[in-house]
Amino acid sequence: MERPGLTTRTSPPGTTEPRVLPDEASPLVIPLDAPDAVPGRIRPPAPLRREGPAKLTGEALYTDDLVFPGAWYGTTIRSTEPHARLLGIDLDEAFDWRQVVLVTADDIPGENIVSLIDDDQPVLVPVGGEIRHQAEPCALIASADRATLREAGRHVRLRTERLPAVFDPLESEIEFAHYTVENGDAAAAMKGATLVIEGTYRVGHQEQLYIENQAMIAVPREDGGVTVHGSLQCPYYVHKAMKRALAMRDELAVVVQEETGGGFGGKEEYPSILALHAALLALKCGKPVRMIYDRHEDISATTKRHPAVVRYRSGVSDTGELVAQEIEVIMDGGAYCTLTPVVLSRGTLHAGGPYRCENVRITGRAMATNTPPNGAFRGFGAPQTEFAAEMQINRIAEALGSSPLDLRRRWVYREGDVTPTGQVLSESVGGIEVLEAAAEAAGFDRHQAQTQAMREARTDGARTASGIGLALAWHGAGFTGSGEVRLASVASIELTDEGRIRILTASTEMGQGTKTIFPQLAAEALGVEPDEVEIAPQDTSIVPDSGPTVASRTAMVVGGLVIRAAEKLRARVEEQTGRSFADSYRDAGPMRSDEQFTPYPGVPFDDKTYRGDAYPAFGWACAVAAVDVDLDTAEVTVRECVSADDIGTVIHPILAEGQVEGGTLQAVGYATIEEMKLVDGRYLNDRLATYLIPTSLDAPRIKSILVEKPFSGAPHGAKGVGELPMDVAAPAVVAAIHDATGVWIHDLPATPERILAALTGGAAPLPPGVSAEEPAPRTPPIEDLPAGGDEMPFRAPTDPPEDRDRERDS
């Protein structure tokens, strides 16, 4: 299949009129009306991926590839109940415990807390403490070899007293966070509305399923400290957690990010737990300790996307204006707080969608359940609530007999509009541009007319149905509200004694391109080639705290700091030498330039009232999806998806296109097949064989359109791209399913079972994200299965009776 073309469109600040799409084969041209444009000059080719050759040739070393002589292996003893009191940890006297080291909560030198937002999650559940979810860590074991480690694990028994469990956030009485966003009088406006559309929408868990599992190696040092090497997104999150739980000073706790095989948010907060476990074992046995999860443990124990229930009421006036929105968001945080308050915050702030409405009331609550904690995942709360927002818009369009495209053209935010927090959208508002770009590229009006005609002409014998759907979204760039101010991130550039240029930041590379774009940005500011700029390893003993690599902030926020630090370094060198930086820097060192974040212009955000500028700028995205639905099985095939994304200035078009394609495919999985099934608070499909994601054979043809509406608050105008595509493809797919079948699916994923239930009026499956009460028959742990052969320690329900086996064998 021919690779779809990449199109980049640029609009200067203040421009809102849609532009004509350039031809597919056109070069990436800077328009003449863009700032600093040079007539006739095309954009220079972007540099190759900095770490690409090492990954392609297998030279890149991931955590499990690292060799530390004499290292031991560590494992975790986990709970098998969703809610219980831990009465004791019993060790079988028949086992020789001198071969291993055992760590319990009593061995933690500092506070038994995984430091994050709230102090509610223990490093290890203490005896007498409360187990709050299946697979919760209660003890740790390390041994010199894996066989002994597995044998030791079989001789540990957790003595517990079962307690009542809560699995549905709607039934929970424990609240992690609560927010209210209000503007105007939504109740009064709703009473005066001519049309009111109500809906309840539910979305379930989603597993990040990064290619490389969670991995950490802890190495004790002679000074009493410990260095952890691992697969992670946020070195200083881990550093903070280590200092607190291990009672260490800054210099004693060192965190080094190794090559990381994907994260998607799943390696934001969880690596702190694994690092603490590995470090505790290493400190006790005095040797390096390796803790590398297998896929089963990784899926069973780590965080997922938050399930959510969104209750929505939309009021439309007799003139067709959106006059009122009343929205309630309830998220399932799982057993512990983790990052739930900030996930809920972003979800709440985005729940109204990118639409003008003067009367809005949004309430958001995050509740505790006895399921494994939920945490960060690409989109960070916005995909959940924007799915509901887009469902409402499409249902309103149907009720009004209007085109969903035309309705969005009428209601989408434009420059000068005001959001529910009172933020004036003064610049970089690309909603109408992405809407027009995606609709035109997909031929939305033409195809929708075709699918409508096909639906009206369909006979009872039809076996398939085709549909097309559209969705629009916005996504706040950077941390919410005052988050960036509190982080006070720092980025640095130095000239070394050897005359090398080196960038120092804690922003990590996990496949998205940090190690490529930072040297690119610095080189442009310094007037040198990107190959002349190095980037320091993400080692907390070397680099400053640049904040976490999350929230689409790396390019916009930290990249902006890198540029400003480079500009200051260049000025100092040129003032000192009297020559250009490129000609003189090799003899000018050592020298270092540090740049700390300063607030963007705008109205400060009040974290208590939720008023002010929630984000310095917003990205905007529109997706159009085309699907085929098998009317016998209700299986959905997503054939094509066009995604147009306003990400501000495009720094590296190829990397940006990759982010759009990856986010779109992840959202297609979220829409159609990715669902965690739970029984008794335990994930049932906790292996790659049973948790399904789209493969290359399932991937639709994806067309990426990059729309540039630069943000003036960043020196390079970038706004971030990583999360934005995740917000739109799922509701676009569900809208296409409706266009094909005529039924609305209110829950994600839109599985064949849910579609068939809607088509036939049959019983619907259990709502997504909710655990069944009755324990399911349990298969043996994977470590207890034989290495190979035909002998199995259990019988499947479909196996023939044993007497028939004996008769056949005889």
Side-chain angles (χ1 to χ4, degrees):
M1 178 184 295
E2 182 183 354
R3 179 178 174 83
L6 164 69
T7 304
T8 302
R9 304 171 61 217
T10 304
S11 298
T15 300
T16 59
E17 290 301 314
R19 296 174 177 272
V20 178
L21 283 170
D23 183 77
E24 291 277 354
S26 299
L28 303 179
V29 180
I30 301 175
L32 302 185
D33 54 353
D36 303 321
V38 176
R41 189 180 74 183
I42 66 170
R43 184 173 304 193
L48 298 177
R49 286 192 72 122
R50 182 66 65 99
E51 84 288 9
K55 289 179 176 178
L56 284 172
T57 59
E59 294 180 1
L61 296 180
Y62 294 84
T63 302
D64 199 24
D65 299 321
L66 302 178
V67 176
F68 292 90
W72 281 27
Y73 301 92
T75 193
T76 310
I77 305 300
R78 300 183 180 276
S79 64
T80 57
E81 294 172 299
H83 195 200
R85 182 77 58 196
L86 181 59
L87 303 179
I89 301 174
D90 297 336
L91 307 180
D92 187 350
E93 295 180 358
F95 182 78
D96 183 3
W97 293 99
R98 293 172 299 177
Q99 304 175 80
V100 303
V101 295
L102 175 74
V103 167
T104 68
D106 293 338
D107 296 301
I108 298 172
E111 298 178 71
N112 187 9
I113 292 294
V114 182
S115 185
L116 200 59
I117 293 178
D118 282 354
D119 294 342
D120 63 337
Q121 186 171 14
V123 180
L124 295 169
V125 177
V127 173
E130 193 176 325
I131 293 169
R132 297 189 185 178
H133 65 89
Q134 293 262 15
E136 182 161 11
C138 298
L140 307 167
I141 303 177
S143 174
D145 65 90
R146 291 189 178 95
T148 302
L149 188 66
R150 285 194 294 269
E151 188 65 21
R154 295 188 182 103
H155 288 80
V156 179
R157 186 175 72 88
L158 301 180
R159 194 158 23 90
T160 63
E161 176 190 0
R162 176 111 181 189
L163 300 173
V166 175
F167 299 131
D168 191 334
L170 300 180
E171 299 174 1
S172 176
E173 297 180 354
I174 301 175
E175 186 178 87
F176 288 133
H178 188 130
Y179 304 111
T180 299
V181 176
E182 193 162 13
N183 196 51
D185 190 337
M190 195 71 72
K191 290 179 181 178
T194 302
L195 172 69
V196 175
I197 296 293
E198 300 184 7
T200 298
Y201 310 95
R202 294 194 77 140
V203 296
H205 299 88
Q206 187 182 19
E207 161 66 27
Q208 294 89 350
L209 216 70
Y210 25 72
I211 295 176
E212 179 201 20
N213 296 345
Q214 298 276 353
M216 203 72 63
I217 302 174
V219 182
R221 302 198 309 269
E222 292 183 357
D223 63 359
V226 63
T227 299
V228 294
H229 302 258
S231 180
L232 52 96
Q233 293 181 222
C234 310
Y236 275 94
Y237 276 13
V238 179
H239 186 251
K240 176 185 175 183
M242 288 175 62
K243 288 196 301 177
R244 187 168 180 186
L246 304 180
M248 288 184 174
R249 302 187 305 274
D250 276 9
E251 67 276 11
L252 293 180
V254 176
V255 181
V256 181
Q257 186 231 9
E258 301 297 343
E259 201 73 72
T260 296
F264 309 114
K267 293 176 184 173
E268 178 175 349
E269 78 275 26
Y270 192 86
S272 295
I273 298 173
L274 188 53
L276 291 173
H277 290 172
L280 287 166
L281 287 169
L283 290 170
K284 187 162 186 178
C285 71
K287 301 176 185 297
V289 170
R290 308 171 64 89
M291 295 192 75
I292 317 292
Y293 285 178
D294 63 19
R295 185 64 69 177
H296 166 55
E297 183 174 21
D298 199 303
I299 296 178
S300 297
T302 64
T303 56
K304 309 285 180 281
R305 186 184 299 283
H306 289 72
V309 181
V310 184
R311 295 167 175 153
Y312 222 114
R313 297 184 77 214
S314 304
V316 182
S317 70
D318 55 3
T319 60
E321 294 298 326
L322 182 63
V323 294
Q325 291 177 307
E326 293 179 338
I327 309 164
E328 181 185 19
V329 179
I330 302 168
M331 285 191 177
D332 181 353
Y336 294 108
C337 182
T338 66
L339 294 169
T340 292
V342 282
V343 173
L344 175 69
S345 174
R346 183 176 285 269
T348 301
L349 288 166
H350 288 78
Y355 305 107
R356 184 175 57 256
C357 183
E358 294 183 356
N359 304 285
V360 179
R361 178 177 173 80
I362 309 170
T363 60
R365 292 186 297 141
M367 311 305 293
T369 60
N370 294 116
T371 59
N374 298 307
F377 196 156
R378 188 181 211 159
F380 212 72
Q384 293 95 309
T385 58
E386 296 207 63
F387 165 69
E390 291 307 286
M391 288 289 292
Q392 284 288 109
I393 297 299
N394 287 324
R395 291 178 60 214
I396 291 170
E398 183 180 59
L400 294 174
S402 172
S403 160
L405 174 58
D406 289 339
L407 195 64
R408 287 175 171 85
R409 284 173 172 148
R410 182 171 183 176
W411 289 356
V412 65
Y413 281 130
R414 288 174 168 80
E415 289 183 10
D417 284 337
V418 180
T419 74
T421 67
Q423 178 172 353
V424 178
L425 299 174
S426 58
E427 64 160 314
S428 192
V429 182
I432 189 64
E433 283 86 352
V434 298
L435 181 66
E436 298 293 354
E440 182 178 342
F444 179 80
D445 284 332
R446 182 180 76 255
H447 283 102
Q448 190 183 46
Q450 292 172 350
T451 58
Q452 180 179 348
M454 292 166 60
R455 188 170 63 250
E456 292 172 352
R458 188 182 303 149
T459 65
D460 292 340
R463 301 274 63 84
T464 61
S466 299
I468 191 167
L470 178 146
L472 184 66
W474 59 338
H475 198 93
F479 261 46
T480 301
S482 59
E484 291 292 351
V485 175
R486 290 197 300 270
L487 284 173
S489 301
V490 176
S492 306
I493 295 187
E494 66 177 3
L495 293 178
T496 68
D497 291 332
E498 298 81 16
R500 303 196 311 271
I501 306 168
R502 191 163 78 150
I503 298 172
L504 299 101
T505 80
S507 297
T508 56
E509 172 70 62
M510 50 188 156
Q512 84 282 29
T514 301
K515 289 183 178 179
T516 302
I517 67 166
F518 277 7
Q520 180 185 352
L521 294 172
E524 184 174 350
L526 295 170
V528 299
E529 293 299 317
D531 289 346
E532 298 177 62
V533 182
E534 301 176 1
I535 187 163
Q538 280 59 61
D539 178 332
T540 57
S541 67
I542 298 173
V543 299
D545 186 355
S546 309
T549 310
V550 299
S552 303
R553 65 182 296 275
T554 301
M556 183 182 85
V557 179
V558 186
L561 296 178
V562 167
I563 291 172
R564 290 194 170 101
E567 291 171 343
K568 290 182 178 179
L569 182 67
R570 179 176 184 170
R572 287 173 60 189
V573 169
E574 292 180 346
E575 181 180 0
Q576 175 179 305
T577 64
R579 294 180 290 154
S580 71
F581 180 89
D583 292 336
S584 60
Y585 77 83
R586 292 175 181 83
D587 303 319
M591 188 182 298
R592 175 166 167 162
S593 172
D594 300 314
E595 183 70 15
Q596 187 169 33
F597 177 82
T598 55
Y600 295 113
V603 178
F605 188 74
D606 189 320
D607 293 308
K608 294 182 179 179
T609 64
Y610 263 52
R611 301 290 296 173
D613 289 5
Y615 301 95
F618 291 86
W620 308 81
C622 179
V624 178
V627 307
D628 293 329
V629 181
D630 186 309
L631 296 176
D632 293 321
T633 65
E635 182 181 8
V636 176
T637 300
V638 183
R639 290 185 289 104
E640 293 184 79
C641 192
V642 175
S643 183
D645 298 77
D646 164 29
I647 63 174
T649 301
V650 179
I651 298 170
H652 195 297
I654 301 302
L655 291 178
E657 181 186 24
Q659 288 292 300
V660 172
E661 291 179 353
T664 298
L665 186 58
Q666 217 161 28
V668 167
Y670 188 43
T672 56
I673 60 175
E674 294 190 44
E675 181 172 15
M676 297 301 309
K677 299 284 190 177
L678 294 91
V679 167
D680 201 34
R682 177 175 66 90
Y683 298 130
L684 288 181
N685 49 331
D686 53 6
R687 289 168 172 80
L688 282 173
T690 51
Y691 183 82
L692 304 179
I693 64 169
T695 68
S696 57
L697 296 178
D698 303 310
R701 183 179 187 270
I702 300 173
K703 178 180 176 63
S704 305
I705 302 172
L706 304 178
V707 177
E708 292 184 305
K709 294 279 286 187
F711 168 50
S712 65
H716 49 347
K719 294 190 290 190
V721 63
E723 296 175 291
L724 185 58
M726 186 77 216
D727 296 339
V728 282
V733 167
V734 175
I737 293 171
H738 169 74
D739 187 49
T741 64
V743 298
W744 289 110
I745 307 301
H746 286 227
D747 296 345
L748 287 186
T751 59
E753 294 84 355
R754 293 191 172 97
I755 297 172
L756 283 174
L759 285 169
T760 64
L766 197 68
V770 175
S771 174
E773 293 284 347
E774 292 298 321
R778 299 190 60 180
T779 58
I782 195 168
E783 59 268 16
D784 291 346
L785 299 180
D790 296 329
E791 293 185 13
M792 297 297 290
F794 67 97
R795 299 182 61 78
T798 54
D799 288 344
E802 291 187 8
D803 55 351
R804 284 175 52 190
D805 290 348
R806 285 193 292 269
E807 290 173 6
R808 183 191 60 206
D809 295 339
S810 63

